[in-house]
Amino acid sequence: MRQLIKNATVIDGRGSNAFKSDILINNQVITDISPFITTAVDHVIDADGAFVTPGFIDVHSHTDLATFLPQGFKPKIMQGITTELVGLCGLGVSPLPKELQAEHRKRLIIGNPPIDWGWDDFPSYTSALEQQGLEVNVSAFLPHGLLRYQICGNSSIPMNKNQRLKLAQLTDEALGAGARGVSLGLIYHPALFSDRDELLTVAQVAAKYQKPIVVHMRSESDQILEALQEMIVLSEQAGCQLHISHLKLIGQRNAGKLSSLLSLLERYQISFDQYPYHYGSTTLFSILPPALIRAYAPDELMKKLHTSTVRRQVHDWLSERVLPQASEPWDNLPALVGWENILICEVESQEAQKWVGISIAECAQQTDQHPVDFALDLLISEQGNVRMIDYFMDEALVEQIFQHPQGMVGSDTLLGGRLHPRVSGSFPRIINQFVTQRKLLSLEQAIRKMTALSAETFSLHKRGKLAPGYYADIAMFGADFCDHATIEQPERYATGLHNLWVNGQQKISQGKYLNTRSGQFLLAKNGNNGV
Ligand SMILES: [Zn+2]
């Protein structure tokens, strides 16, 4: 089918100035971009001067299971996103042998909808997604945390040589089968137990395939520079590409580190992504120090949190009266941002719903407890399944990071329960807030961070630009393109997207959401020239 977009204000993704043009699409592919195209076509869409850009690429999304959920990728699609990268922060759903899945699913940070996992290895996961039908393009990283769990279970003991050989073999299999790179999440259990030799093993296999390691660092606060250095040394030793996930700097006391952080990223030409908010969202479990998680298996830890000895220890650590282990990096959120800046955003039980949307400081006041005791009691009663929102840094620093040319946009979408507004708002918020209102960058430069830069960094072949020969992943929006999601109303979709094409098929047509599933699973080819 031939489609013609007339009268477009084209922003092609490269960062260069917008220009007036028509765009011709033939089936899945853009075949011509020039003014006044007169070829006979099946369908004409008059842009009437609206912006036409490449479909946005979300380089950091935990939507590994979204295609199996009733709403699918809708919060993302309404933002103009046509490609999602999943399997990040070392977390994910594949590869994992069937016999380990039930236990793993109990503590799945990315959410655990009640669906049948019909897969075990990477190829069976990708075919499950394809069979379900994808609304957008999806590509997946290999989560290192899953491999560690498969090989060592919950053990905190460093891998021995045989285990590392197994790790290399599993990494090789998944990268050979088309995983986009390897993701590390070094604050999460059990990946936080991994030592240099273990990480070097996966990084070396990544280097062999010329694929990146994508890292949630061990520290995003007091020891962030050391944590970044650790990854720089690792990637240099292995000879692989390094990308830093959701770059941020937690805690007012660390604000002064930003310039050193950005200089390091510049010196080593390291790419990174960021979501455009000064508050984050993750499991409340991550307030616990690694020393404690190291000492007890997850089920045992839940029991230990009742005991007065462990409770006293946690009090001492969280208040920084005592440091758990000086050498071990740890984002001590309560000490860094304060209990008043940590909000409960998702719980499992009915009884606990009343705490949702309230800061832990306030909850504790209501129950007449110390915030530490309130938080631990909640973790116990919810069996660890509590998600929080934490205000981690000043907006001015978020803006400064956004202006850096090596940064791109990744929403860090976590689905299920009460969402973070970044799930439905990230991309239009960049345009509406960071470009139109605050004028931090030009629209063209901002679009580059959502499209071409992302595609180049992760070798998404023929994506991320509007050019002849490129896939017709295209967004069209007006000057009123705007996010509406807030902490209070996180599910509000963006508005102002007129049309969206995924591989040449319309997913949104004149503002109407269609039921098409024209996305593809994008396997990464070996040698870093993916399809
Ligand atoms: Zn992460």
Side-chain angles (χ1 to χ4, degrees):
M1 184 166 101
R2 281 168 167 245
Q3 301 171 75
L4 179 61
I5 304 173
K6 301 277 299 173
N7 306 316
T9 303
V10 175
I11 298 177
D12 67 8
R14 293 180 174 93
S16 44
N17 288 344
F19 56 95
K20 303 281 180 198
S21 185
D22 295 349
I23 298 176
L24 184 65
I25 302 168
N26 192 357
N27 295 324
Q28 294 194 334
V29 176
I30 297 168
T31 50
D32 191 10
I33 300 183
S34 49
F36 314 117
I37 297 174
T38 52
T39 319
V41 294
D42 304 296
H43 185 41
V44 177
I45 302 97
D46 188 354
D48 196 19
F51 294 114
V52 175
T53 72
F56 302 146
I57 298 169
D58 189 343
V59 299
H60 195 101
S61 190
H62 295 287
T63 45
D64 308 45
L65 298 172
T67 202
F68 302 103
L69 302 175
Q71 69 169 4
F73 290 94
K74 191 167 183 184
K76 315 304 296 290
I77 289 164
M78 297 297 282
Q79 297 177 61
I81 293 164
T82 53
T83 298
E84 296 258 294
L85 303 191
V86 305
L88 288 145
C89 296
L91 310 168
V93 298
S94 158
L96 192 64
K98 289 236 177 271
E99 63 273 18
L100 297 177
Q101 291 179 357
E103 186 60 27
H104 171 68
R105 287 179 69 169
K106 280 196 218 158
R107 277 179 292 276
L108 199 62
I109 294 169
I110 64 165
N112 183 24
I115 53 159
D116 180 32
W117 286 20
W119 59 83
D120 50 11
D121 58 4
F122 190 80
S124 55
Y125 169 61
T126 64
S127 50
L129 291 184
E130 279 169 342
Q131 264 168 29
Q132 185 72 14
L134 289 165
E135 296 168 291
V136 294
N137 304 309
V138 173
S139 193
F141 289 89
L142 167 65
H144 153 260
L146 268 191
L147 300 186
R148 168 143 189 131
Y149 179 65
Q150 179 177 338
I151 297 166
C152 305
N154 293 321
S155 166
S156 62
I157 299 168
M159 279 193 184
N160 62 34
K161 199 172 167 208
N162 282 339
Q163 289 170 320
R164 287 200 303 274
L165 282 172
K166 178 78 180 160
L167 178 67
Q169 179 212 326
L170 292 172
T171 308
D172 202 296
E173 276 172 19
L175 291 184
R180 185 79 27 201
V182 182
S183 78
L184 309 179
L186 300 177
I187 68 158
Y188 294 115
H189 180 278
L192 81 163
F193 304 134
S194 49
D195 63 5
R196 195 197 68 105
D197 288 345
E198 176 179 340
L199 297 178
L200 191 58
T201 302
V202 287
Q204 280 168 338
V205 183
K208 173 184 150 189
Y209 284 94
Q210 295 179 43
K211 290 179 177 179
I213 54 168
V214 177
V215 185
H216 179 157
M217 295 185 286
R218 282 193 209 274
S219 168
E220 296 183 316
S221 61
D222 299 347
Q223 298 187 55
I224 191 168
L225 296 174
E226 293 84 347
L228 178 57
Q229 283 288 5
E230 179 197 5
M231 288 302 111
I232 290 172
V233 169
L234 179 76
S235 62
E236 298 253 302
Q237 273 185 342
C240 71
Q241 182 192 339
L242 171 63
H243 176 91
I244 302 298
S245 296
H246 41 60
L247 189 69
K248 61 172 89 72
L249 201 44
I250 302 172
Q252 194 61 252
R253 69 189 184 202
N254 291 310
K257 296 191 170 89
L258 185 60
S259 58
S260 312
L261 183 65
L262 294 178
S263 324
L264 263 180
L265 293 168
E266 266 163 46
R267 191 180 326 147
Y268 292 93
Q269 284 298 298
I270 300 163
S271 58
F272 63 88
D273 60 76
Q274 173 199 27
Y275 50 84
Y277 296 85
H278 65 298
Y279 47 91
S281 168
T282 188
T283 164
L284 184 64
F285 211 82
S286 64
I287 63 166
L288 297 176
L292 201 61
I293 296 168
R294 189 183 289 280
Y296 307 106
D299 291 339
E300 199 190 347
L301 177 58
M302 281 299 157
K303 289 182 201 132
K304 288 285 175 189
L305 291 179
H306 279 294
T307 65
S308 57
T309 330
V310 167
R311 211 162 258 238
R312 203 172 322 115
Q313 253 180 340
V314 176
H315 269 276
D316 285 346
W317 287 334
L318 292 184
S319 64
E320 297 190 318
R321 280 195 295 271
V322 177
L323 294 178
Q325 268 186 24
S327 62
E328 191 157 45
W330 170 41
D331 296 331
N332 182 350
L333 275 177
L336 286 160
V337 307
W339 290 109
E340 66 281 10
N341 285 313
I342 302 178
L343 265 57
I344 306 293
C345 79
E346 191 190 349
V347 289
E348 282 219 322
S349 73
Q350 266 312 318
E351 309 88 79
Q353 296 299 330
K354 59 177 180 279
W355 305 122
V356 168
I358 304 179
S359 79
I360 292 185
E362 206 181 316
C363 297
Q365 221 169 30
Q366 286 188 29
T367 57
D368 206 15
Q369 279 178 298
H370 190 283
V372 172
D373 292 314
F374 176 85
L376 296 186
D377 286 351
L378 189 66
L379 274 174
I380 293 166
S381 66
E382 300 298 300
Q383 294 170 328
N385 294 313
V386 183
R387 226 185 267 170
M388 63 182 167
I389 280 189
D390 51 292
Y391 289 87
F392 51 69
M393 70 200 254
D394 280 348
E395 273 207 277
L397 301 189
V398 177
E399 293 176 357
Q400 213 178 320
I401 293 175
F402 173 70
Q403 288 173 305
H404 197 280
Q406 285 159 229
M408 58 204 79
V409 183
S411 70
D412 204 359
T413 291
L414 283 164
L415 293 176
R418 198 181 169 89
L419 307 174
H420 186 295
R422 66 193 182 199
V423 172
S424 302
S426 288
F427 287 75
R429 180 176 161 83
I430 297 265
I431 294 171
N432 160 45
Q433 281 286 322
F434 285 18
V435 173
T436 310
Q437 294 194 31
R438 303 187 209 170
K439 305 197 179 347
L440 301 175
L441 285 181
S442 70
L443 181 57
E444 289 89 341
Q445 287 168 319
I447 296 293
R448 174 182 162 269
K449 286 172 166 289
M450 306 174 178
T451 58
L453 180 62
S454 322
E456 281 160 15
T457 302
F458 294 111
S459 308
L460 296 161
H461 185 65
K462 301 281 184 196
R463 311 250 173 212
K465 286 178 196 155
L466 296 182
Y470 274 64
Y471 288 97
D473 294 339
I474 302 174
M476 184 195 293
F477 53 89
D480 58 345
F481 189 34
C482 188
D483 66 306
H484 302 286
T486 58
I487 290 183
E488 294 74 30
Q489 294 185 297
E491 70 292 338
R492 289 185 69 194
Y493 294 141
T495 55
L497 189 66
H498 301 170
N499 291 283
L500 188 74
W501 286 261
V502 180
N503 295 308
Q505 269 197 46
Q506 278 191 284
K507 182 66 196 169
I508 292 180
S509 172
Q510 296 182 320
K512 193 163 172 270
Y513 195 81
L514 305 179
N515 206 15
T516 49
R517 287 179 180 262
S518 57
Q520 297 173 1
F521 191 90
L522 308 179
L523 290 172
K525 273 198 178 164
N526 305 335
N528 216 7
N529 49 3
V531 164

